[in-house]
Amino acid sequence: VGAYGMRQSTFDLFLLYGIGLLGVLMRRFDFPTAPVVVGMILGPLAEAQMRNAVSIGEGSWLVFVQRPMSLTLLIIVLAVLILPRLFQHMARRKLARLQQLLAVLAPGEALKASELMQRLGLSHRATFSQNYLKPALAAGVLAMTHPDSPRSPTQRYRRVR
C-alpha cells in the first residue's frame, strides 16, 4: 500500500515486486546482503566521481590507467575479483585429478608410475608427477611401497583410503 500510495504509480508496484524477487533470489542462493547495501549507498557517489574523472579527462577513459595510483587500484580490484575464482577452479581441477587417479587404482593394488600413467592415458612423466602423483602423496591418499627410496625401480604406489 505504501509503495502505491506515494505516487499512485503501477511502475512503483512492479519495482517493488522486482526488488522483492531479487531479495528472495539473494536469500535462496546465500548472497550476502551487506555488500549490496554498501553498494547501494556508495554506488551513486562512485558514479558521480567517475563522471567527474571522465569529464576532467575530456571524455577519455584512459584517465583511469594513465596515473599510477588509479592503475594500481584497478589492478587490485581485478585481482580481488579474479584470484578467488581462479584458486577455486584450480582446487576443483586438483580434486578431479585425485579422483581420476583413485578411480584407476583398486584398493589393495600397487602399481608402478608407468602403469598408472598408462591407465590414465598420460605419456609425459613430469606432468603426471606434478599434477597427479605429488598431490596424491601430499594429500595422503596414495602411499609408496618403498618410502625410504622413492626412485627405486621397484617402487610402486598403493591406495591408502
Side-chain angles (χ1 to χ4, degrees):
V1 175
Y4 184 72
M6 276 301 271
R7 296 188 309 179
Q8 285 87 29
S9 170
T10 56
F11 174 75
D12 290 343
L13 289 176
F14 284 116
L15 185 64
L16 177 70
Y17 177 73
I19 291 173
L21 184 64
L22 180 67
V24 168
L25 290 174
M26 285 175 57
R27 186 161 295 204
R28 167 70 175 92
F29 294 110
D30 292 328
F31 203 88
T33 55
V36 174
V37 171
V38 170
M40 290 178 74
I41 293 169
L42 295 179
L45 297 171
E47 185 179 350
Q49 293 305 317
M50 183 186 70
R51 265 190 261 127
N52 286 342
V54 171
S55 68
I56 289 170
E58 298 174 351
S60 174
W61 287 85
L62 291 177
V63 72
F64 294 110
V65 293
Q66 288 174 339
R67 301 284 183 186
M69 183 57 89
S70 61
L71 180 62
T72 303
L73 287 173
L74 283 175
I75 290 172
I76 290 170
V77 167
L78 287 175
V80 165
L81 292 174
I82 293 171
L83 288 179
R85 287 165 180 78
L86 182 66
F87 291 146
Q88 187 179 39
H89 175 70
M90 289 169 40
R92 266 191 260 125
R93 284 184 58 193
K94 182 178 176 181
L95 180 63
R97 287 187 191 124
L98 285 177
Q99 290 172 341
Q100 189 180 10
L101 181 62
L102 292 177
V104 299
L105 188 60
E109 185 178 29
L111 296 176
K112 290 183 175 181
S114 59
E115 294 168 336
L116 285 171
M117 287 174 54
Q118 183 180 9
R119 285 191 183 181
L120 289 168
L122 301 172
S123 58
H124 194 253
R125 175 70 183 238
T127 301
F128 167 73
S129 177
Q130 180 181 357
N131 293 335
Y132 291 87
L133 198 55
K134 287 180 182 176
L137 290 169
V141 296
L142 212 62
M144 293 186 244
T145 55
H146 305 294
D148 297 333
S149 53
R151 296 190 181 269
S152 169
T154 59
Q155 183 66 266
R156 296 194 188 298
Y157 300 93
R158 61 180 172 77
R159 234 174 131 159
V160 174
R161 297 180 203 166

